[in-house]
Amino acid sequence: MTKTTSQDNEKGTIGGEKVPILLSKRWILAYIGMVGFFFIYSLRVNLSVAIVCMVKDDVNKTTSTNLSTSNEATCTADTPSNSTNNGEFDWDKDTQSLMLSAFFYGYIVLQVPGGWMAGRFGGKRVLGIGVLVTAIATVLLPVAARQDHRAVYALRVIMGLAEGVSFPCMHSMWGRWSPTMERTRLASFTYAGLNVGNVVTYIVSGLLCAYGFDNGWAAIFYLTGGAAFIWVFAWFVFVYDSPEDHPSISQAERDYIVSHRGDKQTKKFKVPWKSVVKSRAMWMCLGAHLCNNWMHYTLLTGLPTFMKQVLKYDIKQASSEFVL
């Protein structure tokens, strides 16, 4: 490995050779990772919009009528939606809720083991297989829904298990690929894909409900799942677990990453679990994160149904107007 100096660091060079930035291998990983998290969240939230189109309007007719007759219910629109939804299924509220929540029963299981799996088998392999399994389950979901609603529960749990490794694997990847002074920038760019995925999926799913093939809602799963297959192919072709494994990375970039990623200490330390449990700062951060995630996932999962059934909001029409 080429020896680096403080003067090299200031000039962004290693041994006199300039280190690439925007077209570097680490930034290519960030670009592919961002698109990956776009699909990871797209495959997660597509059912939230699709279920509005899948279920017949008259299933919750009684509840909706009772809400709209109250003049004091300021959160309810005065006039009903102008559109009608000829959905295929007559699932009640409990069935819909279980379908939407089943994902998280699987998602919670591999949050911690996912990090160990990434370290043991490589983040590239574990994350790629996780998204592949999620894409397969997504494409199969329309078939499962038309056979038995319990099959949808099973597929959603499988999707949660597969996506539970996403963040631990990406953290592991950036631990090997990002110099300490670029870690925040690279990770933030990568995880921005999840917010873009939420917004785009909500809009596109509304359009597909109205204009898509196979009754509209099924097209949501076919298209998002099919596009995820393309990303999985790109992930396995262009991404490597570490700069040491990459066959075409420049020597300057490899040396730059290895010398600045902060893993020179080879001694292993035991986790001070007792101190962690007794830390008030840790519990405050955990509580804040719990509340944030509770609110975030509640809105992410239930907002389309709430807007349709309570606010009488026409999601299909709104998606069309947004694009126009």
Side-chain angles (χ1 to χ4, degrees):
M1 184 176 66
T2 306
K3 184 178 181 180
T4 62
T5 65
S6 59
Q7 187 175 4
D8 283 336
N9 293 337
E10 293 175 1
K11 294 181 179 179
T13 61
I14 295 291
E17 184 179 352
K18 187 172 181 60
V19 178
I21 302 178
L22 294 180
L23 297 180
S24 63
K25 301 303 180 183
R26 64 190 184 279
W27 271 100
I28 290 176
L29 172 60
Y31 303 146
I32 298 176
M34 186 193 72
V35 178
F37 274 87
F38 174 98
F39 285 116
I40 286 169
Y41 266 67
S42 178
L43 300 179
R44 178 184 306 191
V45 305
N46 52 16
L47 180 61
S48 299
V49 181
I51 202 168
V52 175
C53 310
M54 296 168 71
V55 180
K56 297 176 182 178
D57 276 342
D58 58 357
V59 172
N60 300 300
K61 184 176 181 181
T62 302
T63 303
S64 299
T65 302
N66 291 338
L67 285 171
S68 60
T69 54
S70 175
N71 294 326
E72 297 178 0
T74 57
C75 65
T76 307
D78 294 331
T79 58
S81 173
N82 293 326
S83 67
T84 58
N85 179 29
N86 299 318
E88 295 184 36
F89 308 103
D90 55 358
W91 298 328
D92 58 25
K93 284 181 176 290
D94 290 339
T95 301
Q96 296 176 53
S97 298
L98 284 172
M99 287 180 179
L100 293 171
S101 62
F103 175 91
F104 299 99
Y105 296 127
Y107 189 66
I108 195 174
V109 174
L110 293 182
Q111 291 292 306
V112 175
W116 176 86
M117 293 168 63
R120 178 67 176 81
F121 304 106
K124 169 187 174 178
R125 182 180 303 174
V126 177
L127 178 56
I129 292 175
V131 179
L132 177 62
V133 171
T134 308
I136 294 173
T138 299
V139 173
L140 292 176
L141 200 144
V143 178
R146 286 164 174 156
Q147 295 297 321
D148 192 327
H149 67 274
R150 290 169 293 188
V152 179
Y153 299 156
L155 285 178
R156 290 287 289 176
V157 172
I158 292 172
M159 292 170 67
L161 284 168
E163 286 203 2
V165 302
S166 302
F167 282 95
C169 284
M170 205 67 228
H171 292 335
S172 176
M173 294 283 289
W174 281 129
R176 293 175 172 85
W177 269 99
S178 60
T180 53
M181 65 287 293
E182 296 183 19
R183 188 160 296 165
T184 302
R185 187 184 314 145
L186 290 165
S188 298
F189 183 86
T190 302
Y191 298 138
L194 61 91
N195 294 315
V196 179
N198 292 338
V199 174
V200 174
T201 301
Y202 270 30
I203 296 171
V204 173
S205 296
L207 292 172
L208 289 174
C209 275
Y211 308 112
F213 57 90
D214 196 7
N215 286 345
W217 63 267
I220 298 173
F221 302 107
Y222 294 140
L223 293 180
T224 55
F229 282 120
I230 300 174
W231 178 86
V232 170
F233 175 79
W235 175 261
F236 280 114
V237 171
F238 296 108
V239 170
Y240 293 83
D241 284 315
S242 68
E244 292 91 335
D245 297 331
H246 204 295
S248 61
I249 189 173
S250 67
Q251 187 64 42
E253 185 180 3
R254 179 186 286 113
D255 292 343
Y256 172 68
I257 295 172
V258 171
S259 62
H260 291 86
R261 64 187 178 188
D263 61 352
K264 299 176 183 178
Q265 177 61 260
T266 57
K267 183 179 178 180
K268 293 184 178 180
F269 296 92
K270 292 183 178 179
V271 179
W273 291 112
K274 185 176 180 180
S275 298
V276 170
V277 173
K278 293 172 63 177
S279 172
R280 287 182 293 178
M282 188 280 295
W283 285 108
M284 291 298 293
C285 290
L286 182 62
H289 191 63
L290 174 64
C291 294
N292 176 73
N293 276 2
W294 188 292
M295 177 187 69
H296 175 70
Y297 286 123
T298 299
L299 291 175
L300 202 63
T301 304
L303 186 60
T305 300
F306 175 81
M307 294 176 69
K308 173 67 176 180
Q309 295 179 1
V310 178
L311 300 183
K312 308 301 180 183
Y313 194 76
D314 189 347
I315 296 178
K316 302 177 186 177
Q317 182 180 353
S319 298
S320 303
E321 292 175 352
F322 184 89
V323 174
L324 296 175

